[in-house]
Amino acid sequence: ETGVTQSPTHLIKTRGQQVTLRCSSQSGHNTVSWYQQALGQGPQFIFQYYREEENGRGNFPPRFSGLQFPNYSSELNVNALELDDSALYLCASSWREEDTQYFGPGTRLTVL
Amino acid sequence: EDKVVQSPLSLVVHEGDTVTLNCSYEVTNFRSLLWYKQEKKAPTFLFMLTSSGIEKKSGRLSSILDKKELFSILNITATQTGDSAVYLCAVDNYGQNFVFGPGTRLSVLP
């Protein structure tokens, strides 16, 4: 157990809908990163938040957006869902000066 | 473009065998290399490597980094069925981004 939690565990949406995924960081961690992991592939970096500010972004379109709250919990929002958005979405928290990221259990999103 | 390559992509062995998993990388700003084990969902942290030539060990697992040749290996000795998982290699390019490889799927047969 890493202390990082995510909700919901599973989610089914249809194309064009919007979705919000949630992550609660490990206590004391002020940095959260979000990843998309398609079946059979390694995680792909979406973005990172540090103290409520976006601190880096991968190659994902603007319809992927995020928020980090003062308690360091975080949300990932995806608008206008596409079939290819079906994946496991992982969040990982870390202390800013440390390298190790601790992953949550993920949210499995299926877009029909 | 930052890139992490792992080999083999898939490996099937029998209990008791020793395996070596490979990870090579090309990143603009290297800070550390990390190994994770992913069984069902959340990747779990195994090792973080920052210096060349210093082996890190945890039980039957060990790992080493070569920063000159830009690669790392993960060794598992006396494999057990519980070692069956996907092993992910990731490179930290100074905290902005972790670049992951595709993973090596290890299956250990009884």
Side-chain angles (χ1 to χ4, degrees):
Chain A
E1 290 291 325
T2 63
V4 180
T5 60
Q6 290 186 244
S7 62
T9 307
H10 296 88
L11 201 52
I12 299 175
K13 292 284 190 178
T14 56
R15 208 166 36 172
Q17 285 189 308
Q18 178 266 341
V19 68
T20 297
L21 310 182
R22 294 180 174 83
C23 172
S24 179
S25 302
Q26 183 167 336
S27 178
H29 286 181
N30 56 20
T31 302
V32 65
S33 301
W34 284 91
Y35 295 85
Q36 180 194 68
Q37 187 175 23
L39 204 59
Q41 298 181 21
Q44 298 293 312
F45 175 71
I46 304 175
F47 43 59
Q48 182 185 82
Y49 279 81
Y50 169 63
R51 292 188 173 177
E52 303 175 56
E53 298 280 336
E54 187 176 291
N55 189 44
R57 189 177 182 93
N59 190 26
F60 280 81
R63 58 188 186 84
F64 286 78
S65 62
L67 281 174
Q68 187 183 31
F69 300 101
N71 65 355
Y72 300 135
S73 64
S74 175
E75 284 182 357
L76 164 66
N77 297 291
V78 187
N79 292 322
L81 283 167
E82 301 177 1
L83 298 179
D84 285 348
D85 295 334
S86 295
L88 179 68
Y89 288 85
L90 295 162
C91 80
S93 74
S94 60
W95 177 242
R96 186 67 179 93
E97 282 71 37
E98 286 188 359
D99 298 330
T100 306
Q101 293 188 341
Y102 295 91
F103 284 84
T107 294
R108 171 81 57 195
L109 172 65
T110 302
V111 182
L112 303 176
Chain B
E1 185 182 330
D2 294 344
K3 186 168 64 174
V4 175
V5 176
Q6 292 186 246
S7 65
L9 294 180
S10 181
L11 189 56
V12 181
V13 300
H14 287 90
E15 273 192 316
D17 288 349
T18 293
V19 298
T20 298
L21 310 183
N22 303 292
C23 174
S24 62
Y25 61 91
E26 293 177 30
V27 296
T28 47
N29 293 297
F30 176 90
R31 180 159 72 171
S32 63
L33 184 144
L34 299 96
W35 285 96
Y36 289 87
K37 178 182 181 183
Q38 187 174 29
E39 292 180 83
K40 288 184 180 175
K41 282 196 173 179
T44 54
F45 172 76
L46 294 175
F47 297 111
M48 181 179 76
L49 304 157
T50 55
S51 301
S52 277
I54 299 174
E55 186 182 50
K56 294 226 173 172
K57 284 182 72 86
S58 176
R60 297 176 293 102
L61 277 67
S62 63
S63 184
I64 198 162
L65 173 67
D66 185 328
K67 290 169 75 173
K68 183 180 176 186
E69 300 296 331
L70 308 182
F71 79 90
S72 173
I73 60 172
L74 174 68
N75 281 316
I76 308 175
T77 59
T79 52
Q80 302 171 357
T81 54
D83 295 328
S84 296
V86 174
Y87 290 83
L88 295 165
C89 171
V91 173
D92 177 5
N93 58 356
Y94 269 90
Q96 291 274 320
N97 181 6
F98 275 45
V99 183
F100 279 83
T104 293
R105 179 171 296 278
L106 174 65
S107 299
V108 182
L109 305 178

